[in-house]
Amino acid sequence: MSADENQTLQDEEIEALAAIYGDDWEVVDSESRKYHIRISDEKLKNAILTEVSFPPDYPKTAPPQYILSAPWLLRDEKTNLEGSLADIYCENIGESIIYLWVEKIREFLQERNELHVKADTTAEAVIQEHMLDRKTEEEDEILDIDFLNVQEKPDKCHFEEQENSSDDVNCPEIHHGKSFVDRKSVFQGHIASISHTKQVKLVLDSLCQSKKIAAATHNIYAYRISSKDKQDVFYQGCEDDGETQAGSRMLHLMQIVDACNVIVVVTRWYGGVHLGPDRFKHINNCARQLLDEHGYIQSKNEKKGPKSNKRRTSFPIQEVVVKKNFKYDIK
């Protein structure tokens, strides 16, 4: 692979990472391709500042370089984490792996905090914390239901080109996946073929005609639409709906498999038991299964991460239209 091809893959990966992690992604030196990303657990108790740099031969023949900054981290913990990152690289040689590294570090932080809570608190403190967390989630669920009556209009600038189109749009046929249960939490995916951003609202409106779906704890979605007028330009967006970064992870999955003109919604009904990082695996698995079943994944044998031997996911700078964390008015 030539240096130009490596640089193109790096540009695409940097564009995707900046879109997914927002303010947590910081450019240190664009010429030397050095970046900072702040990685924290869900409760923001601890954070690891990671510096990554892209050598000219990455990703085809060389790994990215990184430095972990976390003074509170024990030596053995840091060694184990570095070993896990090395394993990920060995399993995905020749592929873009920064996203996999970031999510592994985040999973490490979540598991570490869970272990420390169990070791440092009494049984009574654990019960009280659980009751408090459950109360918070119940309040979030009420807020999610109340949201159905709140009118909130999307930012016009993100959809100006398609909103001005004279094409008539209709609600597409929605297909529902099989439900999945883990520790009383229920997950179910929904998928529809779309060609216009207006259809995103139509799909959500249609789904929420079901009282069960409308009252779910989370309705996470991501969509991706290719422009009819400009090649390699996409209209894409996602919504976490209270499940932090779940929507952006789904969108990243769609970018990796190059799924276009489709919306995927994953509904979760919370069952009273915290699932930790497993819930993100279930959400992405629901989405991936539907994308595969309905022909949006070109190759079933692909590994995690962008492939060099498949059609590249396109992220042209200043032309990808990204909309994160925005909610439609569902009546």
Side-chain angles (χ1 to χ4, degrees), residues 133-161:
D133 289 344
R134 177 55 184 151
K135 181 179 178 181
T136 301
E137 294 212 31
E138 288 174 348
E139 292 172 349
D140 289 342
E141 184 173 353
I142 294 173
L143 289 174
D144 289 338
I145 299 172
D146 288 342
F147 154 73
L148 302 178
N149 299 317
V150 177
Q151 294 189 356
E152 183 176 350
K153 195 170 184 179
D155 188 350
K156 289 285 290 184
C157 67
H158 290 279
F159 299 95
E160 183 174 357
E161 182 174 345

Side-chain angles (χ1 to χ4, degrees), residues 126-127 129-138 141 181-187 217-218 243 268-276 279:
V126 172
I127 293 173
E129 182 178 3
H130 173 76
M131 292 176 64
L132 180 60
D133 289 344
R134 177 55 184 151
K135 181 179 178 181
T136 301
E137 294 212 31
E138 288 174 348
E141 184 173 353
V181 182
D182 181 11
R183 285 163 280 181
K184 300 182 180 181
S185 279
V186 182
F187 300 82
T217 314
H218 308 289
E243 193 71 282
R268 181 194 179 189
W269 293 270
Y270 179 70
V273 179
H274 294 288
L275 303 186
R279 66 190 187 279

Side-chain angles (χ1 to χ4, degrees), residues 49-177:
L49 182 64
T50 305
E51 180 181 288
V52 294
S53 56
F54 296 72
D57 294 336
Y58 170 77
K60 192 59 180 177
T61 59
Q65 305 299 314
Y66 72 93
I67 299 175
L68 300 178
S69 178
W72 49 267
L73 203 60
L74 299 177
R75 180 179 299 178
D76 289 345
E77 291 177 325
K78 187 174 183 180
T79 299
N80 291 336
L81 178 57
E82 290 173 342
S84 298
L85 300 183
D87 290 341
I88 290 175
Y89 171 72
C90 292
E91 293 170 1
N92 299 274
I93 292 177
E95 301 174 4
S96 301
I97 61 167
I98 300 297
Y99 174 81
L100 300 179
W101 275 4
V102 172
E103 294 308 308
K104 183 62 182 179
I105 294 172
R106 195 186 310 282
E107 182 179 328
F108 163 81
L109 287 173
Q110 292 171 348
E111 293 176 350
R112 181 183 185 276
N113 285 338
E114 289 176 3
L115 290 175
H116 279 236
V117 167
K118 292 178 181 179
D120 297 340
T121 61
T122 64
E124 181 179 358
V126 172
I127 293 173
Q128 290 177 349
E129 182 178 3
H130 173 76
M131 292 176 64
L132 180 60
D133 289 344
R134 177 55 184 151
K135 181 179 178 181
T136 301
E137 294 212 31
E138 288 174 348
E139 292 172 349
D140 289 342
E141 184 173 353
I142 294 173
L143 289 174
D144 289 338
I145 299 172
D146 288 342
F147 154 73
L148 302 178
N149 299 317
V150 177
Q151 294 189 356
E152 183 176 350
K153 195 170 184 179
D155 188 350
K156 289 285 290 184
C157 67
H158 290 279
F159 299 95
E160 183 174 357
E161 182 174 345
Q162 283 207 321
E163 291 291 349
N164 291 338
S165 173
S166 60
D167 296 341
D168 293 332
V169 294
N170 299 308
C171 183
E173 181 180 4
I174 303 174
H175 302 277
H176 308 279

Side-chain angles (χ1 to χ4, degrees), residues 13-28 35-39 49 99 102-103 106 238 240 245 248-249 251-252 322-325:
E13 184 177 16
I14 291 168
E15 183 75 16
L17 292 169
I20 292 170
Y21 296 113
D23 295 337
D24 290 333
W25 178 265
E26 179 185 355
V27 179
V28 178
Y35 304 87
H36 281 169
I37 181 166
R38 183 180 182 277
I39 309 167
L49 182 64
Y99 174 81
V102 172
E103 294 308 308
R106 195 186 310 282
C238 58
D240 299 334
Q245 296 190 349
S248 59
R249 296 181 192 211
L251 178 58
H252 184 70
V322 179
K323 177 66 177 174
K324 283 187 63 180
N325 297 332

